[in-house]
Amino acid sequence: MKLILLGPPGAGKGTQAKRLEEAHNLIQLSTGDMLRAAVAAGTEVGVKAKTVMEAGELVSDEIVVAIISDRLDEDDIKAGFILDGFPRTVAQARALDGLLADKGMMLDAVVEMQVDDEPLVGRITGRYTCAGCGKGYHDTFEKPKKDGVCDKCGSTEFKRRADDNEETVRSRLAAYHAQTAPLLPYYESRGVLKSIDGMADIEDVTGQINEVLKGI
Ligand code: ADP
Ligand code: AMP
């Protein structure tokens, strides 16, 4: 199964990708995570990406396409993957078409997570992850069962992203509408676009995605 989860920041792509990974044995490919790893490692790509990410703008197509191209050459993704946060521009979508064709792979579905802008600010400013295993949480919507202890790995260390503040969220939403929303007609015209209600609660959204997958 080869999927794209498409939606603005905070739509729930990462949350659902992690659930799909576990339930369907797929690999989450998040360009945001890959870029944050490059920033943390201080690589050449990381140095270039850091200020762009802090401003809530998009890193160049050239950089992200190169990262994804390398990742798609690895063996573990052969059984299936979920693209989370890529593509984000029509140029990236075209590049992805070329990469998949070269590697003999085809997309099964592009799942659009439809959400309203305003609640996304609260979703993003309340987001945090476990520093041990990366499991995602939210101050209100997805708390650990035991306060301050990760449900999955038991770690008591958590972190918040530098770009998860209100000002940057607004830039990221503007970038989504200007540069990423044109992907909806792009995939619609190819017959692979499936839209779901991303405003429902987390469990319900998982159910809707599973329904889409059953139909493939
Ligand atoms: P994205 O990867 O699309 O940027 P996330 O999956 O990280 O978004 O979700 C952003 C925040 O909102 C997280 O803290 C997550 O726990 C929470 N969240 C995700 N989906 C929902 C939902 N359907 N309802 C309420 N909160 C959600
Ligand atoms: P995300 O983790 O998907 O919210 O991405 C965090 C930030 O990384 C974005 O605001 C962009 O600056 C950058 N980024 C992630 N994926 C891409 C992409 N496909 N194209 C351009 N920039 C990206």
Side-chain angles (χ1 to χ4, degrees):
M1 185 91 62
K2 295 168 184 71
L3 301 176
I4 294 177
L5 290 184
L6 191 59
K13 303 180 297 294
T15 303
Q16 297 300 332
K18 291 223 153 43
R19 289 174 157 232
L20 289 168
E21 268 196 320
E22 284 174 19
H24 301 275
N25 201 25
L26 302 170
I27 304 268
Q28 176 191 16
L29 300 179
S30 157
T31 40
D33 285 349
M34 295 173 202
L35 289 166
R36 279 183 288 281
V39 171
T43 63
E44 198 183 322
V45 162
V47 171
K48 279 190 196 154
K50 187 169 188 280
T51 44
V52 180
M53 291 170 78
E54 279 169 357
E57 290 162 9
L58 294 187
V59 173
S60 76
D61 292 334
E62 195 193 346
I63 288 180
V64 287
V65 169
I67 291 179
I68 280 291
S69 174
D70 287 349
R71 189 66 184 87
L72 290 177
D73 282 334
E74 287 173 42
D75 280 339
D76 62 336
I77 58 95
K78 298 266 164 18
F81 55 78
I82 313 142
L83 284 165
D84 159 9
F86 180 92
R88 255 177 159 98
T89 64
V90 171
Q92 291 178 21
R94 291 212 175 97
L96 177 64
D97 285 345
L99 290 174
L100 294 175
D102 287 351
K103 298 173 204 294
M105 296 190 260
M106 258 181 70
L107 279 179
D108 293 292
V110 177
V111 179
E112 179 206 0
M113 307 181 66
Q114 292 184 329
V115 281
D116 305 328
D117 271 12
E118 221 32 57
L120 296 184
V121 178
R123 280 200 193 176
I124 290 183
T125 51
R127 164 164 70 185
Y128 61 98
T129 51
C130 169
C133 68
K135 175 161 174 28
Y137 292 99
H138 189 279
D139 292 328
T140 313
F141 306 125
E142 202 185 7
K143 297 179 179 178
K145 289 189 187 79
K146 187 168 176 232
D147 225 18
V149 182
C150 176
D151 296 344
K152 197 170 163 193
C153 74
S155 168
T156 52
E157 302 280 322
F158 295 88
K159 55 183 184 184
R160 288 181 193 259
R161 280 169 48 176
D163 59 345
D164 278 352
N165 57 73
E166 183 161 351
E167 193 191 341
T168 310
V169 172
R170 302 237 176 244
S171 309
R172 286 155 64 199
L173 284 173
Y176 176 81
H177 290 296
Q179 291 164 278
T180 310
L183 294 184
L184 298 171
Y186 181 89
Y187 285 120
E188 171 97 76
S189 69
R190 282 162 176 71
V192 286
L193 189 71
K194 313 277 177 198
S195 299
I196 60 154
D197 173 18
M199 293 309 298
D201 66 35
I202 294 175
E203 199 58 45
D204 186 304
V205 174
T206 304
Q208 293 182 59
I209 297 176
N210 282 331
E211 280 305 307
V212 167
L213 301 190
K214 272 190 214 154
I216 291 171

